[in-house]
Amino acid sequence: MVESAKRNQKPILVTGFSLMFAENKTGVGYCQEQLSKALHDQGIPFVISVRKNDISVRKYLIPKKNAWIKQHLVYERRFIWPEAWGAPPVELAQGYYPTCFESFPWYRHLLPYKRIAWIHDMMSMRYPQYYTKEDLQKHQKMFASAKKADIILTVSKTTKMDIIHYLHIRPERIKVIYNGLDECFLKDSPVFDITRHFVPESGIDFSRNYYLYIGAMRKNKNLLNAIKGFEKYLKETGKEDVYFYIAGSKSHEYSNLKKYVDADQRLREKVLFLGYITDEEKLALYKNAKALLFVSEYEGFGIPVIEAMASRIPVVTSDCSSMKEIGEGHAILADPFSPKSICEGLMETDRQAADTDFMEKNYRFAMKFTWRRAAEIFCRILKGLS
């Protein structure tokens, strides 16, 4: 299936992948970048349509490690309609592969090309209270456009069921492609040298006993209950040498979370907000953590769950949504709305960490989630559309 795509003389046209060029990428941008890299590494012909004067693209091209993308860039040109109307790019009429692959497609149906939409989650439908009126309207337009796609890709069976429920789309039109691990996690390195990966300017003490959260601080991430669960854990165990590191951009719910933590002197010393971290810091944080504490209310996939398993540390995650789908049988599942349940999950991590056979089983399980595999499945889907 991969060779079939290579032999096709018309590259796949990719539009709507602007988030992969963001300086501080979050989940969707990370997925866009990793799938593009996987297509590149396998020699799959594709081009990404970008705006000519996009500053984020220019900055992305500065590091040498990102030079691979240059051969895949074409500068975006639209037909006579404004982009906000969903005008298809000119490239669709200029001999490119007749598939327009978009994360959130905005197009008019005027050309005989195949359309693929990529829906990462249905957060705005499940939790509309977390969105502004303007954002909800934008998402509604996105979903209305996605409903007209030939194929909808999504990142978990859980999200597929949500798409069926909220958008009333036939199951056979929805294909699941699981997210993958960054290649740095694919290297088998159970012995980890703290000093070699320590970044002095970060101010992070990797030698502490700490639980770890990595991700955004949006409401659905449920960080307040995670902190309350950790707070209960401190009281129940009486431990003084344990911390909770929260890594991620200080935005969304950060001020409310900081206010709660600062109200208690002991908690203020134990819960540390690290801000946005580098890839090197992320790897070091995973490798040296006691466990991952990731009890989100809802996730389209939940990449930190498999990243922690690949790092051979225990995982405490939610007994719902895609986290249960990925973590059941491998992670400690807790009720995300119960600090008591989260506390009990944290208490279980020491026993699980001591079970080296179980940690090795989780590592091998996480290794199944690769972007190479995602790219191969994508090529099979393309073959079925052609």
Side-chain angles (χ1 to χ4, degrees):
M1 52 277 186
V2 173
E3 290 302 320
S4 174
K6 287 181 181 179
R7 288 194 298 269
N8 196 308
Q9 295 180 354
K10 297 180 180 180
I12 304 159
L13 175 65
V14 179
T15 64
F17 265 32
S18 59
L19 293 177
M20 70 172 281
F21 301 106
E23 186 173 359
N24 295 335
K25 278 185 284 293
T26 54
V28 175
Y30 170 80
C31 292
Q32 292 173 356
E33 180 184 50
Q34 292 300 317
L35 183 59
S36 299
K37 279 184 178 178
L39 293 172
H40 168 81
D41 291 343
Q42 295 183 68
I44 310 301
F46 74 99
V47 292
I48 298 177
S49 181
V50 297
R51 294 180 181 179
K52 191 169 185 178
N53 297 316
D54 193 326
I55 296 176
S56 62
V57 175
R58 291 183 182 179
K59 289 183 177 179
Y60 185 87
L61 293 174
I62 292 174
K64 291 183 179 180
K65 66 176 183 178
N66 294 331
W68 63 273
I69 196 63
K70 290 183 180 179
Q71 64 185 280
H72 300 291
L73 297 181
V74 294
Y75 292 114
E76 186 175 85
R77 289 175 296 167
R78 297 276 170 171
F79 284 104
I80 60 174
W81 301 283
E83 184 180 354
W85 287 17
V90 171
E91 286 78 15
L92 287 175
Q94 294 184 335
Y96 285 89
Y97 189 84
T99 298
C100 188
F101 183 47
E102 307 191 3
S103 54
F104 290 113
W106 299 81
Y107 45 66
R108 286 179 177 271
H109 308 286
L110 299 178
L111 297 172
Y113 63 91
K114 300 293 185 180
R115 308 164 184 88
I116 300 178
W118 195 4
I119 297 179
H120 295 266
D121 61 63
M122 296 297 292
M123 264 290 298
S124 61
M125 299 293 279
R126 293 196 58 160
Y127 296 95
Q129 67 272 25
Y130 293 166
Y131 291 80
T132 65
K133 183 178 178 180
E134 292 73 18
D135 283 340
L136 286 175
Q137 290 174 345
K138 180 180 178 181
H139 279 239
Q140 287 168 0
K141 290 179 180 178
M142 291 173 179
F143 291 141
S145 183
K147 288 175 70 172
K148 299 175 183 178
D150 296 278
I151 289 292
I152 294 176
L153 303 183
T154 193
V155 295
S156 67
K157 294 176 182 176
T158 301
T159 307
K160 177 176 179 176
M161 295 306 296
D162 286 341
I163 294 170
I164 293 170
H165 175 73
Y166 289 104
L167 301 186
H168 309 292
I169 293 172
R170 297 193 311 275
E172 60 269 21
R173 289 180 55 207
I174 308 169
K175 306 297 182 182
V176 174
I177 300 181
Y178 286 118
N179 289 332
L181 289 164
D182 188 286
E183 59 185 23
C184 68
F185 288 95
L186 302 179
K187 299 174 183 177
D188 190 2
S189 54
V191 178
F192 193 76
D193 183 354
I194 295 175
T195 58
R196 186 164 62 89
H197 290 270
F198 181 70
V199 184
E201 60 268 24
S202 71
I204 303 170
D205 188 348
F206 295 101
S207 65
R208 284 174 170 167
N209 292 316
Y210 61 87
Y211 291 102
L212 175 67
Y213 168 85
I214 290 182
M217 298 187 190
R218 295 190 299 270
K219 286 186 178 180
N220 70 293
K221 298 298 184 178
N222 196 39
L223 274 169
L224 182 57
N225 274 337
I227 292 170
K228 288 180 178 179
F230 175 71
E231 182 180 23
K232 188 171 182 62
Y233 171 82
L234 292 176
K235 292 177 180 177
E236 293 286 334
T237 62
K239 291 186 176 181
E240 294 293 337
D241 63 339
V242 66
Y243 298 81
F244 184 21
Y245 285 1
I246 298 176
S249 178
K250 296 179 180 180
S251 57
H252 299 289
E253 290 296 290
Y254 169 70
S255 58
N256 292 332
L257 297 171
K258 189 73 166 60
K259 183 178 180 180
Y260 181 86
V261 168
D262 287 346
D264 184 281
Q265 183 177 354
R266 186 189 187 200
L267 204 58
R268 185 167 61 247
E269 295 172 353
K270 299 297 181 182
V271 178
L272 305 178
F273 296 94
L274 307 182
Y276 195 87
I277 55 173
T278 66
D279 290 341
E280 185 180 35
E281 290 166 352
K282 180 172 78 169
L283 188 62
L285 283 166
Y286 271 123
K287 292 287 186 178
N288 295 290
K290 285 173 62 65
L292 176 75
L293 179 55
F294 190 81
V295 286
S296 178
E297 294 178 17
Y298 173 84
E299 292 290 329
F301 179 82
I303 288 177
V305 173
I306 58 169
E307 288 181 336
M309 291 180 189
S311 303
R312 291 184 173 89
I313 63 171
V315 176
V316 180
T317 193
S318 304
D319 61 357
C320 62
S321 186
S322 60
M323 292 159 289
K324 182 177 181 180
E325 176 185 338
I326 304 301
E328 193 162 32
H330 300 276
I332 300 166
L333 299 181
D335 179 354
F337 303 102
S338 168
K340 181 177 183 294
S341 178
I342 295 170
C343 169
E344 291 170 352
L346 292 174
M347 289 179 175
E348 182 70 10
T349 56
D350 286 339
R351 184 202 62 78
Q352 194 176 90
D355 189 343
T356 55
D357 289 341
F358 187 75
M359 291 293 97
E360 192 63 27
K361 172 189 170 186
N362 283 358
Y363 172 81
R364 292 194 298 271
F365 174 72
M367 290 300 105
K368 296 178 181 179
F369 296 89
T370 67
W371 286 107
R372 178 182 179 87
R373 183 180 181 185
E376 289 174 350
I377 295 171
F378 175 55
C379 289
R380 287 203 299 268
I381 292 170
L382 282 185
K383 185 178 179 181
L385 282 175
S386 60

